[in-house]
Amino acid sequence: MDDPKGRTALITGASAGLGAEFARQLGAAGYGLVLVARRLDRLERLAAELRDRHGVPAEAVEADLADPDGPPSIAGELDRLGLAVDYLVNNAGSAGPDLLEDREWEEQADYLRLMMTSVARMCHLFIPGMRERGFGRILNVASVAGRIPRTNDLNYGPSKAYVIALSEALDLTLRSEGVRACALCPGFTHTEFHAVADLLEEKAALPGFVWYDAEVVVREGLAVIERGKCVHVSGRLYRWIDPVLQSVWTRPLARRLSGGG
């Protein structure tokens, strides 16, 4: 990892799960931290823990990325604190509503803002400064679900496919300027995600070998972006499966097995 002395990492969705693990590992590496989420009390406890443990500055910023005013409010707080963002981790997200069954469009619009628009806007706000300074890292948390269409996945997977495509285009655009972008694509990961999304029964029905710890996923993501990789499927099992899902020869079979007919 590049020398983090005097540099700041901003992590969205930092109050739990992968976001909190990103904060722990980037703090341990020496980055100053800006932790963003809706649950300010949890952010403040984590910020205090990391200041004490690693001796790095850590700020907690309350913001809702589903709100159109969320990203500019974060940028305004960074200006107030006098901080520039060198390492951006776009991690905030959720399972979301059913596109066809949940009829309130505003709920759908909020979800799309959270999963896609906010990612693009955070990049729009913070990447120009990285370009000017000649250094930056953008790690966008996507998913294996963004790599293959699945029956009844009409919001989560498609939104993650956008994040993957955006990350690839950003990396192609920026890498000659000292700025790197990477889409991190985990499979099933032990976090609070399934409990919050009421998916604990689904989790219990899956075999243990398909699950990875958040520590492994984050460690891999932080390592591969330094090696210049712009899309990384996390977990050895998923890296074995992914070529099968992407092959022009086997992708039709994968679609049928997922219920696509």
Side-chain angles (χ1 to χ4, degrees):
M1 187 179 293
D2 192 271
D3 183 5
K5 185 176 181 180
R7 289 181 172 154
T8 298
L10 187 157
I11 304 149
T12 69
S15 61
L18 288 175
E21 185 60 31
F22 272 113
R24 293 187 178 97
Q25 293 194 28
L26 286 167
Y31 277 91
L33 302 169
V34 177
L35 311 181
V36 176
R38 292 178 299 172
R39 295 179 287 187
L40 184 60
D41 56 336
R42 296 185 68 160
L43 288 179
E44 289 177 335
R45 287 197 296 271
L46 180 59
E49 171 195 328
L50 297 177
R51 284 193 296 266
D52 292 344
R53 179 178 300 174
H54 303 302
V56 295
E59 302 286 345
V61 176
E62 182 180 13
D64 183 354
L65 275 299
D67 186 330
D69 294 329
S73 74
I74 296 166
E77 183 64 11
L78 269 289
D79 286 343
R80 187 188 71 80
L81 294 168
L83 295 174
V85 175
D86 304 291
Y87 206 122
L88 173 62
V89 180
N90 284 309
N91 168 72
S94 69
D98 186 301
L99 181 66
L100 303 181
E101 298 297 329
D102 296 325
R103 303 305 298 164
E104 291 296 328
W105 176 249
E106 197 52 46
E107 183 181 1
Q108 307 285 344
D110 287 347
Y111 184 72
L112 297 177
R113 278 194 293 269
L114 170 65
M115 300 296 283
M116 294 188 290
T117 307
S118 75
V119 174
R121 195 161 190 193
M122 294 291 282
C123 292
H124 172 79
L125 287 166
F126 294 112
I127 289 177
M130 297 179 185
R131 299 179 88 173
E132 290 174 5
R133 295 186 296 275
F135 175 87
R137 300 290 184 265
I138 306 101
L139 211 164
N140 296 321
V141 178
S143 172
V144 169
R147 305 280 288 168
I148 184 73
R150 299 176 298 153
T151 302
N152 297 322
D153 180 10
L154 304 175
N155 261 338
Y156 184 79
S159 70
K160 293 301 189 182
Y162 168 77
V163 170
I164 295 168
L166 175 64
S167 302
E168 290 186 282
L170 285 170
D171 193 64
L172 286 169
T173 303
L174 299 168
R175 61 168 47 229
S176 65
E177 302 176 53
V179 181
R180 298 174 186 169
C182 178
L184 177 61
C185 302
F188 292 109
T189 307
H190 290 298
T191 67
E192 294 181 358
F193 178 90
H194 290 80
V196 172
D198 294 325
L199 297 174
L200 287 177
E201 287 188 11
E202 175 187 313
K203 180 176 181 178
L206 293 167
F209 65 83
V210 305
W211 293 90
Y212 284 83
D213 290 334
E215 185 275 332
V216 173
V217 173
V218 170
R219 174 164 40 82
E220 287 188 5
L222 297 180
V224 297
I225 195 171
E226 297 305 323
R227 298 203 297 267
K229 194 170 183 182
C230 64
V231 177
H232 179 68
V233 176
S234 179
R236 185 176 298 174
L237 170 66
Y238 295 104
R239 285 195 293 277
W240 287 343
I241 294 172
D242 187 67
V244 177
L245 299 181
Q246 302 309 315
S247 167
V248 295
W249 304 107
T250 54
R251 190 176 176 92
L253 174 59
R255 281 174 50 88
R256 286 197 296 274
L257 291 174
S258 73

